[in-house]
């Protein structure tokens, strides 16, 4: 089971992975510990000290990861000030960061399935409205579940809503 290649992608030796969207995504996410910081933001953590405490990471590591995620636009940095204290910053998911939710759900689901740990499964995601289990799935825009052997990678169509339509910079 593999993804089929068409168009200029059909000759696998004719193109490189240098501009691969997976590589660009991994660069934006940064080291694995940055993904943990991002996950913590999805759990509602937004203050520096809480990131340090909840993740068990050093202050310098959290500082570097937060800076990276802000620089890539996944988190925003907002000032706040407690009475009598200096200005500090909270970190909030941006739209770009929030759009990673299906990816993080997929990583959690995969980890629970294939790397459950010594005590077995640790978490289950459920839908707050109906209580049913939440899963990440690959679907076409018509709503069909799609297996990896049913995916074709080819050049984008002219009306695919390219980067300029999504507000991304080149």
């Amino acid at each position: 089971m593999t993804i089929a290649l068409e168009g200029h992608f059909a000759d696998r030796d004719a193109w490189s992975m240098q501009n691969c969207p997976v590589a660009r995504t991994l660069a934006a996410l940064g080291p694995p510990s940055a993904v943990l910081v991002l996950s913590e933001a999805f759990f509602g953590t937004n203050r520096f000290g809480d990131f340090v405490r909840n993740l068990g990471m050093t202050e310098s590591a959290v500082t570097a990861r937060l800076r990276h995620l802000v620089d890539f636009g996944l988190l925003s940095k907002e000032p706040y000030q407690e009475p009598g204290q200096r200005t500090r910053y909270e970190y909030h998911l941006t739209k770009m960061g929030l759009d990673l939710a299906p990816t993080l759900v997929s990583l959690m689901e995969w980890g629970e399935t294939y790397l459950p740990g010594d005590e077995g499964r640790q978490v289950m995601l459920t839908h707050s409205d109906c209580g049913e289990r939440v899963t990440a799935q690959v679907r076409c825009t018509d709503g069909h579940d799609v297996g990896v052997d049913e995916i074709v990678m080819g050049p984008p169509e002219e009306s695919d809503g390219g980067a300029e339509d999504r507000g991304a910079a080149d």
Side-chain angles (χ1 to χ4, degrees):
M1 287 191 177
T2 61
I3 294 174
L5 304 175
E6 72 176 23
H8 66 272
F9 294 109
D11 180 1
R12 184 59 194 93
D13 294 330
W15 54 277
S16 76
M17 296 293 283
Q18 289 187 344
N19 195 26
C20 170
V22 173
R24 291 192 310 266
T25 301
L26 291 174
L29 292 175
S33 58
V35 177
L36 296 176
V37 170
L38 192 62
S39 294
E40 195 62 34
F42 271 97
F43 300 147
T45 302
N46 57 21
R47 293 191 175 179
F48 178 79
D50 295 333
F51 282 107
V52 171
R53 184 185 69 251
N54 294 347
L55 292 167
M57 293 169 56
T58 66
E59 289 185 2
S60 61
V62 171
T63 297
R65 300 314 172 257
L66 287 169
R67 182 177 300 125
H68 175 87
L69 294 168
V70 168
D71 288 348
F72 270 89
L74 301 171
L75 294 176
S76 65
K77 182 178 173 181
E78 309 294 332
Y80 76 94
Q81 188 170 14
E82 301 279 347
Q85 299 289 319
R86 66 179 175 84
T87 299
R88 297 179 186 263
Y89 295 92
E90 291 184 332
Y91 298 87
H92 299 277
L93 291 159
T94 63
K95 180 180 180 337
M96 186 188 302
L98 287 167
D99 284 350
L100 279 167
T103 302
L104 291 175
V105 167
S106 183
L107 286 171
M108 290 175 78
E109 185 178 20
W110 187 90
E112 281 293 87
T113 299
Y114 296 104
L115 307 169
D118 293 338
E119 292 96 31
R121 288 180 168 267
Q122 300 295 306
V123 299
M124 182 172 62
L125 304 175
T126 57
H127 182 207
S128 63
D129 285 352
C130 71
E132 288 299 314
R133 195 163 160 234
V134 171
T135 63
Q137 299 173 351
V138 177
R139 290 200 172 109
C140 71
T141 56
D142 267 352
H144 305 113
D145 288 346
V146 178
V148 71
D149 59 335
E150 298 173 293
I151 298 173
V152 176
M153 185 174 90
E157 296 178 10
E158 291 297 318
S159 62
D160 77 337
E164 60 281 350
D165 296 334
R166 291 186 298 273
D170 285 338

